Amino acid sequence: MGGVSSIVISELEYAPPGADQLFFDVSFGIAPGEHAALVGANGVGKSTILKILTGEYECDGGDFTVNGSVLSMTQDVGMSRPTDTLREMLIEVAPTHLRTAGRALVAAEKALADGSDDGMGYATALGDWGDMGGYDLETKWQAAAQRSVKTTVDDFSRRLVSELSGGERKRLVLDLLLTSGADVLLLDEPDNYLDIPTRGWLEEQIKSCRSTILMVSHDRTLLERVATKIVVIEGSGAWVHGGSYLTFPEARAKRQELLGDDLKRWNDEERRLFHHMKIMKQRAAQNFKNATKANGAETRWEKFVAAGPPPPPVADQHIHVRLRGADAARRVAKLDDVSVGDLFFPFSDEIHHGERVGLIGPNGTGKSHLLAVLNGVTPDVGSVTFGPRTSVGVFTQINNRADFTGRQCLDIVRDRLIEDEKSMKALARYGLVNHSRQEFQTLSGGQKARLEILCLEIEGHNVLLLDEPTDNLDIESSEALERALDSFEGTVVAVSHDRTFLAKFDRFIMINDDGDVYALPDYEIAMQGLAAPEKLSTVRLAKKISLP
């Protein structure tokens, strides 16, 4: 079986320690050279599958084979340990033998520095590093850094990860992996932290990469352009769409129709759960350590039977979002010669009621700072005048809501709606009713985002400031947010690198690395401006609105 495909997974199952089963009966194959994407709702186990394939997690059942050399990247690469050196970060994405030698070399250097090594251990570690190909790898690091990092990297063992932007860290790692020649690449959300120009670069790199790739991504534009196969994780199992993401929504709708009527689908799922329970019971009889998992499988089957038919086994997330902005004056905000620090030159603009304005540009140009000014923070230069009856609601980029932490979802919503029944109905519209007793900090990123958007809806704001609103959302949740904004009667100003999301906006304010600010009248021109800012003066209708 191993020779047929670069990645083969058969009846894979996994339960987190002390928790119910996350998935089972997951089977699919990725052929050599295919670029496949794992998609599914937040929390279904996409990242977990990648961690099982790398050996970080151990599966509870099933088999998998990954043929050839493998390199992998986690979604938080370079983010979890900012005090590391670049060398320490890059060692963690090196091939296994070099990772081991690199870690030993770093440890030996530290031992030499603190006097616990007389130099012998260091000499051995240095020799091993060279013998394994460490110096060749360092040459590749240098070449990738020249392409990916704005400032020169002279010494990887001294330059700190924190001295690079999040986008630079991610691009450096991606550059290395995509040019490594590895047989298989496992990439978890490679587009996270990347601005739109860098996402365009990533698409070209993936398309030209000859490695077999299995990736997790919620970037619909990227999926449409690079994925040759879609693996869908849902209903505790998996199914495969053997084509582009462009044709995936239609294929999924047809699949749902072909599954037959509600009763047939219910019976099929009941048999699947029953069969799985029987297998787990047999394993428990052979090894008592499997008893908890067997009991969990039995409970899952019993709950399903007790609920009775329908529903079908794989129901869409029915997320209904209602955003209704109260009336506001025609002019929402007037910016006069506004600037923040030395991020961008002073500029003037007006935002009107009902507009959808996208704030775009490379990372680090001050887009979030400009959003803060629109939320009432006093700019360093210039002034902002708000229209009467303007009520501003803010969506935070990292869902960092201290006022929500430690509180259950129901309590947070009940603060705003008073009654339990109304609160539960509101949570149900956002697909959060099953998490009503869950504390905010334990929710997935997408669940946190949905709860925050629900609260903005209830509070009745007529101006929404959104900072990377789709960053942690699964695709269905992103689409639900977009539908909500379509019907929202107020004004929306958003910072985003999600091109599918931005495509529905009316106009754009773009801030370049050099601090210039441009007004771009539609999505097509905005994408042209991002791809080639040096040609902005010749772009149709582009207007430079910064002052000299």
Side-chain angles (χ1 to χ4, degrees):
M1 183 174 71
V4 177
S5 173
S6 286
I7 303 174
V8 178
I9 290 177
S10 178
E11 298 182 352
L12 201 68
E13 58 187 71
Y14 178 78
D20 289 339
Q21 211 147 29
L22 190 58
F23 54 76
F24 61 94
D25 196 23
V26 168
S27 302
F28 62 88
I30 310 299
E34 279 191 317
H35 297 162
L38 277 175
V39 303
N42 289 112
V44 296
K46 302 184 296 294
S47 297
T48 299
I49 290 171
L50 294 187
K51 288 177 180 177
I52 289 171
L53 295 179
T54 62
E56 184 179 346
Y57 288 0
E58 188 174 338
C59 63
D60 295 319
D63 300 296
F64 67 90
T65 305
V66 182
N67 297 302
S69 56
V70 182
L71 291 178
S72 65
M73 185 193 75
T74 60
Q75 58 183 273
D76 63 348
V77 64
M79 305 299 162
S80 55
R81 299 191 308 199
T83 57
D84 279 1
T85 64
L86 287 184
R87 181 176 63 169
E88 287 171 305
M89 179 185 81
L90 296 178
I91 283 170
E92 293 306 308
V93 295
T96 305
H97 63 287
L98 276 165
R99 198 180 319 147
T100 303
R103 287 171 177 170
L105 178 59
V106 171
E109 285 181 351
K110 289 177 180 176
L112 189 67
D114 67 21
S116 58
D117 174 34
D118 60 3
M120 292 296 291
Y122 173 69
T124 301
L126 195 61
D128 290 344
W129 175 248
D131 293 343
M132 293 284 187
Y135 297 125
D136 291 338
L137 183 61
E138 287 182 34
T139 301
K140 292 178 181 177
W141 290 354
Q142 194 63 56
Q146 286 176 351
R147 294 187 292 262
S148 306
V149 183
K150 292 175 183 175
T151 53
T152 303
V153 180
D154 297 317
D155 188 346
F156 285 85
S157 66
R158 294 188 182 276
R159 186 79 175 267
L160 295 180
V161 168
S162 58
E163 294 172 31
L164 271 58
S165 70
E168 285 180 316
R169 299 172 210 176
K170 202 73 175 270
R171 176 165 174 161
L172 175 57
V173 171
L174 284 165
D175 190 309
L176 274 170
L177 297 189
L178 291 164
T179 59
S180 66
D183 296 314
V184 176
L185 297 177
L186 304 174
L187 308 177
D188 197 351
E189 303 213 22
D191 47 279
N192 263 17
Y193 303 104
L194 300 186
D195 54 31
I196 291 174
T198 310
R199 290 184 190 212
W201 165 86
L202 173 61
E203 288 163 6
E204 295 306 313
Q205 291 296 307
I206 290 176
K207 282 191 277 191
S208 63
C209 182
R210 301 181 67 178
S211 305
T212 301
I213 298 175
L214 179 60
M215 61 183 167
V216 173
S217 175
H218 296 147
D219 185 323
R220 289 158 287 177
T221 303
L222 181 137
L223 291 176
E224 288 173 0
R225 293 178 180 175
V226 305
T228 58
K229 174 181 280 185
I230 307 295
V231 180
V232 191
I233 309 299
E234 61 183 354
S236 303
W239 64 278
V240 175
H241 171 56
S244 159
Y245 189 79
L246 273 170
T247 55
F248 167 68
E250 182 184 355
R252 187 169 186 270
K254 284 183 178 176
R255 180 178 184 271
Q256 291 292 80
E257 289 174 21
L258 292 172
L259 283 173
D261 62 39
D262 286 356
L263 183 60
K264 180 181 181 300
R265 284 187 279 185
W266 188 89
N267 286 330
D268 289 347
E269 180 69 356
E270 188 275 330
R271 282 195 293 272
R272 193 174 80 100
L273 292 170
F274 182 78
H275 177 67
H276 178 66
M277 185 220 10
K278 285 295 187 185
I279 291 173
M280 296 306 294
K281 289 281 189 184
Q282 289 169 5
R283 290 184 190 170
Q286 295 163 359
N287 186 340
F288 72 92
K289 291 182 179 178
N290 290 320
T292 302
K293 292 169 187 170
N295 290 337
E298 184 172 25
T299 300
R300 182 192 289 247
W301 171 70
E302 286 175 344
K303 282 182 178 177
F304 186 84
V305 172
V314 182
D316 288 338
Q317 293 187 70
H318 293 294
I319 303 167
H320 305 291
V321 188
R322 294 178 191 158
L323 293 172
R324 291 287 184 272
D327 181 35
R330 180 66 186 154
R331 189 168 69 195
V332 168
K334 186 173 187 290
L335 295 84
D336 289 305
D337 298 340
V338 166
S339 181
V340 179
D342 57 359
L343 290 169
F344 49 84
F345 292 117
F347 77 98
S348 300
D349 194 24
E350 287 189 3
I351 297 172
H352 295 122
H353 178 63
E355 278 195 310
R356 270 64 176 149
V357 182
L359 303 183
I360 59 174
N363 285 323
T365 52
K367 301 181 298 294
S368 293
H369 289 81
L370 179 55
L371 209 62
V373 166
L374 291 171
N375 191 33
V377 174
T378 304
D380 296 327
V381 176
S383 63
V384 178
T385 307
F386 293 96
R389 302 187 302 282
T390 297
S391 172
V392 177
V394 180
F395 179 94
T396 57
Q397 182 177 2
I398 54 174
N399 307 118
N400 184 18
R401 290 291 297 263
D403 54 327
F404 287 2
T405 302
R407 306 194 66 212
Q408 295 180 357
C409 295
L410 177 59
D411 294 334
I412 293 168
V413 175
R414 189 168 47 202
D415 283 350
R416 293 158 174 80
L417 287 177
I418 312 302
E419 297 174 19
D420 277 4
E421 186 178 350
K422 284 184 179 178
S423 301
M424 289 298 281
K425 283 182 178 178
L427 287 167
R429 284 193 289 104
Y430 279 71
L432 293 169
V433 71
N434 293 333
H435 306 278
S436 61
R437 295 294 180 186
Q438 203 168 324
E439 291 191 355
F440 176 76
Q441 71 275 11
T442 67
L443 298 173
S444 69
Q447 290 161 352
K448 286 179 179 176
R450 273 186 262 158
L451 181 64
E452 189 163 1
I453 294 162
L454 168 59
C455 290
L456 291 176
E457 172 202 313
I458 295 168
E459 290 160 8
H461 298 293
N462 54 35
V463 178
L464 296 183
L465 304 180
L466 313 178
D467 199 348
E468 301 279 12
T470 62
D471 239 22
N472 292 313
L473 296 183
D474 58 51
I475 291 169
E476 285 191 35
S477 297
S478 293
E479 290 171 347
L481 172 61
E482 287 159 13
R483 288 193 299 272
L485 296 177
D486 281 344
S487 60
F488 177 54
E489 295 166 7
T491 307
V492 180
V493 183
V495 174
S496 180
H497 299 299
D498 182 335
R499 290 158 292 180
T500 309
F501 177 74
L502 289 171
K504 297 188 176 181
F505 276 57
D506 301 326
R507 67 181 182 92
F508 300 86
I509 295 174
M510 186 175 92
I511 308 175
N512 278 350
D513 280 323
D514 58 11
D516 283 331
V517 185
Y518 290 87
L520 303 175
D522 62 40
Y523 175 76
E524 184 181 339
I525 292 175
M527 293 304 106
Q528 291 173 10
L530 285 169
E534 70 280 0
K535 297 179 181 178
L536 267 180
S537 59
T538 63
V539 172
R540 179 172 55 91
L541 296 179
K543 173 190 170 193
K544 188 171 178 179
I545 57 177
S546 60
L547 300 177

